[in-house]
Amino acid sequence: MIAPIDATHDPARPCWVVGAVGHRDFPIQNLPLGIFSAGDERRGGIAIGDFVLDLRALAASRLLDGPAQAAAEAASGPTLNPLLGLGSVPRLALRRRVSELLSEREQRGRVAPLLHAAADCVLHLPAAIGDYTDFYAGIHHASNVGRLFRPDNPLLPNYKYVPIGYHGRASSVRSSDTGVVRPVGQRKPPEAAVPLFGPTQRLDYELEMGAWIGPGNDLGSPIAIGEAEGHVAGLCLLNDWSARDIQAWEYQPLGPFLAKSFATTVSPWIVTAEALAPFRIAQPPRPASEPAPLPHLFDAEDQARGAYAIRLEAALLTANMRASGLPSHPLSSGQMSAMYWTIAQLVAHHASNGCNLRPGDLLGTGTISAPTPDGYGSLLEITNGGATPLALPNGETRSFLQDGDEVILTAHAEAEGFATIGFGPCRGTILPARA
Ligand code: CA
């Protein structure tokens, strides 16, 4: 079941929080969930404009009851795993009550003391991530990268039947604005007789979305495709930092390992399935020449509304640009709908062998690239494997990332007749290798 559209999505909904109406990321129609601290303990919060609503204080306020109170209590600790495990009913009740409290002027006196200025808050990972899996559902990225390695046969024959993925490293997932230390590893340049060991020379980003798992499934009990939506609590941005030279040397025959496991960055707010209801769109139809999904991955409602109208952007700010006061340089702009599989299909596939997903698990979509170069989601694609360096406005060039470079990912859900909502930035700056 896809979440309903209700009064919380009304684009005319008032909000008494200063600066929240028309906020680029966090107007009252969004109300994303996260974990913050303000010089003290970590606890759950909801972003509203340039403020964070303290859910632990809200749970103690007597302003809630029933499932909304249960949700706020579950969000009072240092991770949102307990809330994520409760599923959509308490999450929706909390959303509806918080929307009322932030829109009704007579509530201002009681609720305003529960707000913290976002500038005074540190944002943390929203959940303790038990497992992180990264898929490869961006078909244009898969085709572009495949073409670099196999010009005549970019997509392997399994791609259109099975959502390709690998098990990533959960321990190195970090919230936005955590520095990314340049990894050291084995690489074997074509001209070298034996592999070298040292800092990666081909450090890249990957523009992805992430899905946070809500309720899990029991080991041995698959998730039916028609039930998969109920297991997705919401989405975030995800940067799958990648060392291309380490990757090229290590990836056969078992796939990515140290080229990816050194760091993954996510945007800190979970934009909930409920907030995203107005932005659900049809999964782009497959050409008649391509195989239909196998029955365990096909659901008519998922095909009709399983994709998202979310625009993704990546930008680069080099150390020189920062020192000169220059703005970041746009790298790409594309749509999340450039995915060959829906999020529900990724979830159903993941659990189809009986693998148990758990609250707070993180699924990456894989790099989302547009079919055209203005929407390529990695430097590997933008620079054609490093062969065509990117020219920046200040005269610098980049084949891959240099120390001091900051990659900034942003995303906004957009639909006619609804308020645009955003994810907040997913940023990371490259720090020098530690030898
Ligand atoms: Ca990836």
Side-chain angles (χ1 to χ4, degrees):
M1 275 293 293
I2 287 173
I5 296 175
D6 60 26
T8 65
H9 302 100
D10 180 354
R13 189 130 172 114
C15 179
W16 50 258
V17 178
V18 174
V21 173
H23 192 275
R24 180 165 163 72
D25 285 328
F26 307 128
I28 193 170
Q29 293 84 3
N30 193 344
L31 304 179
L33 301 163
I35 291 289
F36 77 101
S37 59
D40 47 10
E41 304 91 18
R42 299 182 185 200
R43 68 267 198 197
I46 288 179
I48 177 69
D50 294 321
F51 294 85
V52 176
L53 175 63
D54 186 333
L55 286 174
R56 188 176 64 187
L58 184 63
S61 70
R62 298 173 179 261
L63 289 164
L64 311 178
D65 57 17
Q69 175 68 19
E73 289 176 6
S76 294
T79 74
L80 292 180
N81 299 65
L83 173 62
L84 297 176
L86 294 179
S88 61
V89 171
R91 208 168 57 224
L92 178 58
L94 179 64
R95 172 183 172 83
R96 286 177 169 163
R97 181 59 179 149
V98 167
S99 182
E100 287 174 0
L101 293 172
L102 295 174
S103 62
E104 297 169 1
R105 288 203 73 84
E106 60 270 28
Q107 302 288 357
R108 181 174 188 162
R110 284 183 284 183
V111 178
L114 312 182
L115 297 176
H116 298 262
D120 297 337
C121 298
V122 175
L123 301 175
H124 307 278
L125 277 184
I129 303 168
D131 278 288
Y132 156 51
T133 303
D134 198 21
F135 284 94
Y136 200 48
I139 187 168
H140 305 299
H141 171 77
S143 301
N144 292 337
V145 173
R147 202 173 292 115
L148 286 172
F149 294 102
R150 298 175 301 275
D152 300 328
N153 183 26
L155 283 182
L156 294 171
N158 58 3
Y159 188 85
K160 293 180 177 174
Y161 289 94
V162 57
I164 303 295
Y166 69 96
H167 281 282
R169 183 73 193 172
S171 68
S172 54
V173 181
R174 288 291 183 276
S175 187
S176 183
D177 297 311
T178 305
V180 175
V181 175
R182 177 178 297 274
V184 169
Q186 276 196 33
R187 59 196 163 88
K188 187 180 174 301
E191 66 279 9
V194 295
L196 314 172
F197 183 78
T200 177
Q201 304 298 300
R202 292 164 70 90
L203 184 55
D204 201 357
Y205 70 96
E206 291 192 341
L207 170 56
E208 305 194 16
M209 295 296 290
W212 291 100
I213 296 297
N217 59 303
D218 292 335
L219 180 63
S221 300
I223 296 171
I225 178 74
E227 306 292 325
E229 285 287 341
H231 293 268
V232 178
L235 304 182
C236 64
L237 275 157
L238 186 151
N239 186 340
D240 174 26
W241 303 97
S242 299
R244 301 300 183 192
D245 41 7
I246 299 173
Q247 183 180 359
W249 176 234
E250 74 172 5
Y251 89 102
Q252 292 176 322
L254 285 183
F257 183 37
L258 301 185
K260 304 274 194 177
S261 62
F262 59 93
T264 302
T265 305
V266 293
S267 54
W269 295 105
I270 300 175
V271 176
T272 64
E274 292 71 39
L276 290 167
F279 309 103
R280 304 306 296 264
I281 57 175
Q283 173 69 356
R286 297 182 176 191
S289 60
E290 298 192 358
L294 293 182
H296 72 292
L297 296 177
F298 181 85
D299 176 76
E301 187 185 4
D302 181 47
Q303 291 297 308
R305 293 187 62 204
Y308 295 85
I310 294 176
R311 185 170 46 81
L312 310 172
E313 293 181 300
L316 175 66
L317 184 69
T318 71
N320 282 337
M321 292 163 70
R322 190 181 304 112
S324 305
L326 294 172
S328 61
H329 177 69
L331 294 171
S332 69
S333 176
Q335 293 289 333
M336 185 181 171
S337 56
M339 285 171 55
Y340 200 70
W341 303 100
T342 66
I343 297 290
Q345 287 174 314
L346 301 182
V347 169
H349 175 66
H350 203 313
S352 63
N353 65 345
C355 171
N356 53 319
L357 304 181
R358 295 178 293 185
D361 280 1
L362 177 65
L363 309 188
T365 57
T367 310
I368 301 175
S369 289
T372 51
D374 59 352
Y376 286 176
S378 66
L379 283 174
L380 184 70
E381 295 164 88
I382 292 171
T383 68
N384 191 28
T388 312
L390 172 72
L392 298 171
N394 67 346
E396 291 183 282
T397 61
R398 285 292 182 278
S399 295
F400 291 96
L401 297 171
Q402 295 190 5
D403 294 348
D405 286 355
E406 181 179 29
V407 177
I408 304 153
L409 310 182
T410 51
H412 291 88
E414 300 170 330
E416 187 73 32
F418 290 94
T420 294
I421 63 173
F423 285 74
C426 176
R427 291 182 295 228
T429 300
I430 307 303
L431 304 177
R434 292 178 195 151

